Structure formats: structure tokens, C-alpha cells
Amino acid sequence: MNGSSARCDGAPCGMSASWSATDACAPGFSPARWLALLVVTAFAACAPAISVGAQSSRVSPDARGEGLSVAATPIRRFGGLSDDPANELSKDPDVVDAQRLTDGRWLITDRDHLKLYDRTGRLERAIGRKGSGPGEFRHILSACELRDGSIQVLDRQQRRVSRFTAAGRHVRTSAVSEPLEFDGCFSDGTLLVRSAPEALHRVLDRGESPLGLDVHTIFRRVEPSGRTAIRFDSLPFETFSVLRRRVSAVVRRDTFYYAESYRPEVRVYSPQGPLVRRFSITAEQRPVTEALVRAQRSETGRRIVGADEVRTPPVNMSGEPKMVPGLGLMKVGNDGTIWVSSYPLKGERMSWRLLNGDGTVIGRFVVPTLPGFTDVSVVRGERRSVVLRALDDDGAVNLLVFALRP
């Protein structure tokens, strides 16, 4: 099978038509100022879901919308087993992405290179390669299209930003002073970063356990040089537990989207900094039990006692939430459609809710079982389409683009 790309209108893709699915850390920040920030943060965490100039709403369990499924065959297929290994995709699930650019072309992102495809799925150009020279990458975090049509690529490992023309020609590569952690960038090339959580550092410096510690951080919009252009809110970022807080921070079309699972809500910020909208997502209430926590722990949490005996250490429930978090992950399409998932639990299929930018529900989507594929997951979604990552029978990674239908 040649896996570089194929238009899949029928049987050649091997798909059956019978299935469906649905700074505080800034230098000189004094202890007194830090204490004041903690007080303000605690007050904000307990305040009702309102904000000056922002709209607030709630999405209830009964407002999940109609179920959505995918068409019988994908619109596009990228990756798969190929005679040329350069056409195959990395098996790292955190680096492979596919997005449609404003002119209809497709940009495929892999660990250390990108590929541009035209509207029909024909490969136009490969961009970059593994290395540390200009226009080379070690670990691509994300790629985004800027307002002038150029493409900006964020290299997490090397802390660098590379700029390419719309045709894929390298323009420049610049070092970034801040760690790169979040998907997307603003249309002028500025980046979303966060301040280091000083509260966590103090706990670790004292040799104390961070279990149950609720960490907040300040999000900022910065230039690649590190100069802060805009300071957003101080927001919850991490908890140390098995059912940990999951935070999604995404920039799409000059809008900053933030979501967290312990208080399942989506916050929408303008590029100038103000919170413009927030809406809560109320999920089905489900208590957290010791058995559930134990089931979520990795195999590394088990201790080998003897040749034939494996003992699981007791579960510490002190840092765990009382109820299963109502939100897992958030993804935002280039068209502004918000996808929020259920909290990912081992052995359970993940479901997604699709929302408009104002929080109104479009529908719900359950990750499907695809004949001939395993390990299916959502990579990126929009209102009318979804990109799924899946392993085929050869164990090769595929990106499958499907139209969504009611």
C-alpha cells in the first residue's frame, strides 16, 4: 500500500460502507506580592462563573446535541505503509497532526518535518528534516498559519521558532527564551507561554510531597524574544494525583481557549487579554472509588515481590477528586469549533461534544471502531469534519479525514 496520500471515495481505502460512529514568577516578585496573588487566586477559584465584560453559560448533560457519525469512507488518507519510509508517519501519538489551510491545502505535521499537500491530496513539498540547523527540527510541537499566509513551526525540544513561506521555503529560525508547551500561535507570530509555578518549586525545595497541591500559573502572550505583550489570567494548571487535572490551552485564529477538568469549563480570551466568554460543562456525576483509581495506575505502580507475586501498593486517596472530572481534553478547529472530551479512563471509549464558539451545542461524537484499524483517536476536529489517527493492519500510522454527518 502506498501511504503518501490517497483520495478515498470508495473501496480502495479498504473501508466498509456498513459501519458508523459517532509572572507570578517575574524577577523581583516579593513574598508579599505572591501572598496577595494567592489570596486573589483563591477568591477567583471560589467565585461564581461570571466576569466583567464576559458572557457566562452552562452546558447541561441533557444538552449534548444529536449524535454525529463519520461517513463510510474517508475524504483523505495520509500515512500508512509505503515503499518510501519518508512517506510514513511517526508512531508518537503526540506529534502527528493534520490541518487544512485557508487556501484548501493540507499541512501534515510529524516529529521532525512537515508535508504540504494540495487540495486533491497530492504531495507538493516536504518541509524541514531532523537536525539542529536552520529550518531543521528535533520535536515539533505545532505549526500554525499566520495572517500573511506564512507557516510558523514551534520546536519544543530546541526552543526555536521557524518561519516558512506559504510555498514552504525557509525564511528564518529564531531561538525562544520560554519553554514551548501549547498548541498554536497568534496570527502575528506571538506565542502562548506560562509562568513557572513558584508554589510548586517551594514545596519541592522543602522536600515535601506535592500530592494534592493545586498549582496555578499565569498565561502570557509573548514575542519570540520573550518580551511579554499581553498577560492573561492566573489559572489552575496542575494537581498531583492519579486522576490529575487536565488542562488544555490552545490558540486558534487569534483567540486563546482554556479548559480544565476539575472545574469543567471553557474560557475564551481575546488576543488583547480580556476574558470574553466562559461556559461550564456539567457531566454525569460519578464517584471516584479506590478501585477506579487503582485501575488507572500504570504498571509502573506495581511492585514485584517474588518470582510469581506482584503486589499493588495501596491507593492514597487524599489527593484524588471526589467525583470523576467532567472534562478531559479540548481541541479547537481552525473554524473555531470547540471539541471537549469525556475524562479519559482506561478501558472506556472516549466521547466528544462539539460546541460553537458561544458554547451552544452542535452535537456529540463517540470515537468509532474502524474495520482494519486499531488505536483510533481524534487528532483535530471542525464542525463538518474530523481527523482520526489510527494504526492499520501493518502497524503503520494513518491520518484519516472524515466528513461528519448527523
Side-chain angles (χ1 to χ4, degrees):
M1 179 186 302
N2 187 335
S4 60
S5 174
R7 179 177 178 86
C8 303
D9 295 320
C13 291
M15 307 299 297
S16 167
S18 62
W19 66 274
S20 64
T22 328
D23 250 289
C25 313
F29 204 82
S30 68
R33 292 178 64 192
W34 177 249
L35 178 60
L37 176 62
L38 286 179
V39 173
V40 172
T41 300
F43 176 81
C46 302
I50 58 174
S51 178
V52 176
Q55 299 176 3
S56 175
S57 60
R58 180 173 295 275
V59 179
S60 70
D62 298 327
R64 292 178 294 180
E66 295 299 323
L68 300 172
S69 63
V70 295
T73 56
I75 304 169
R76 294 281 181 274
R77 180 176 177 177
F78 303 98
L81 195 63
S82 173
D83 295 333
D84 183 358
N87 290 327
E88 299 179 7
L89 298 172
S90 168
K91 291 189 177 182
D92 188 335
D94 297 325
V95 300
V96 178
D97 187 20
Q99 60 177 299
R100 192 171 0 218
L101 304 177
T102 53
D103 61 5
R105 295 180 302 160
W106 286 92
L107 178 65
I108 308 300
T109 307
D110 210 328
R111 171 176 284 275
D112 51 28
H113 64 279
L114 305 93
K115 295 185 182 74
L116 272 173
Y117 293 84
D118 65 17
R119 296 183 181 185
T120 67
R122 180 181 61 86
L123 178 63
E124 285 187 348
R125 183 168 185 165
I127 302 174
R129 62 182 180 181
K130 184 176 181 179
S132 56
E136 297 177 339
F137 309 102
R138 292 292 184 185
H139 187 154
I140 296 176
L141 172 65
S142 68
C144 45
E145 184 179 17
L146 304 185
R147 64 165 67 104
D148 61 359
S150 62
I151 298 168
Q152 181 162 283
V153 188
L154 283 58
D155 188 325
R156 179 202 295 266
Q157 184 172 328
Q158 300 189 104
R159 285 196 188 182
R160 302 195 315 186
V161 173
S162 294
R163 186 80 59 89
F164 297 84
T165 66
R169 181 179 59 84
H170 178 252
V171 178
R172 64 177 179 270
T173 296
S174 307
V176 179
S177 61
E178 304 276 358
L180 298 174
E181 301 177 82
F182 306 115
D183 181 19
C185 52
F186 296 90
S187 64
D188 62 353
T190 52
L191 309 168
L192 180 69
V193 302
R194 67 180 180 95
S195 300
E198 290 293 323
L200 172 61
H201 292 171
R202 287 202 297 272
V203 168
L204 297 178
D205 289 344
R206 292 195 297 265
E208 300 174 358
S209 171
L211 185 66
L213 180 65
D214 195 2
V215 178
H216 284 61
T217 190
I218 294 178
F219 286 84
R220 296 177 290 130
R221 176 183 174 186
V222 302
E223 299 174 354
S225 64
R227 188 185 73 85
T228 298
I230 295 294
R231 189 184 299 264
F232 297 103
D233 287 342
S234 173
L235 297 168
F237 188 75
E238 181 64 280
T239 52
F240 291 83
S241 55
V242 176
L243 295 182
R244 63 182 180 86
R245 167 182 279 134
R246 292 180 175 268
V247 168
S248 299
V250 181
V251 178
R252 289 287 183 270
R253 302 297 188 223
D254 274 343
T255 302
F256 166 35
Y257 300 84
Y258 167 90
E260 64 120 329
S261 54
Y262 275 22
R263 184 178 182 180
E265 66 175 15
V266 175
R267 299 188 182 203
V268 183
Y269 291 85
S270 79
Q272 289 74 38
L275 174 67
V276 295
R277 186 176 298 110
R278 66 191 292 185
F279 43 89
S280 301
I281 299 172
T282 306
E284 180 181 355
Q285 296 294 293
R286 180 178 174 185
V288 172
T289 64
E290 185 172 331
L292 187 148
V293 173
R294 183 179 293 110
Q296 305 310 307
R297 295 201 301 193
S298 65
E299 292 297 315
T300 57
R302 306 174 67 187
R303 182 161 55 91
I304 298 178
V305 179
D308 301 318
E309 183 181 4
V310 177
R311 181 178 301 167
T312 301
V315 175
N316 186 341
M317 299 291 289
S318 62
E320 303 299 329
K322 301 301 181 184
M323 309 298 292
V324 173
L327 183 152
L329 305 173
M330 176 187 65
K331 298 178 181 292
V332 184
N334 284 347
D335 64 351
T337 301
I338 302 169
W339 287 57
V340 292
S341 80
S342 56
Y343 193 86
L345 296 173
K346 290 183 180 179
E348 297 186 8
R349 294 173 67 188
M350 188 177 292
S351 62
W352 295 79
R353 268 179 274 187
L354 282 66
L355 311 172
N356 290 309
D358 60 0
T360 56
V361 179
I362 299 172
R364 63 184 184 275
F365 177 79
V366 177
V367 176
T369 300
L370 304 181
F373 293 92
T374 59
D375 295 339
V376 182
S377 60
V378 173
V379 171
R380 184 180 289 253
E382 297 188 347
R383 184 183 183 92
R384 303 184 186 279
S385 65
V386 61
V387 180
L388 300 178
R389 177 192 181 274
L391 299 181
D392 59 27
D393 291 336
D394 298 312
V397 175
N398 293 253
L399 293 180
L400 307 168
V401 186
F402 286 95
L404 288 175
R405 63 187 184 186

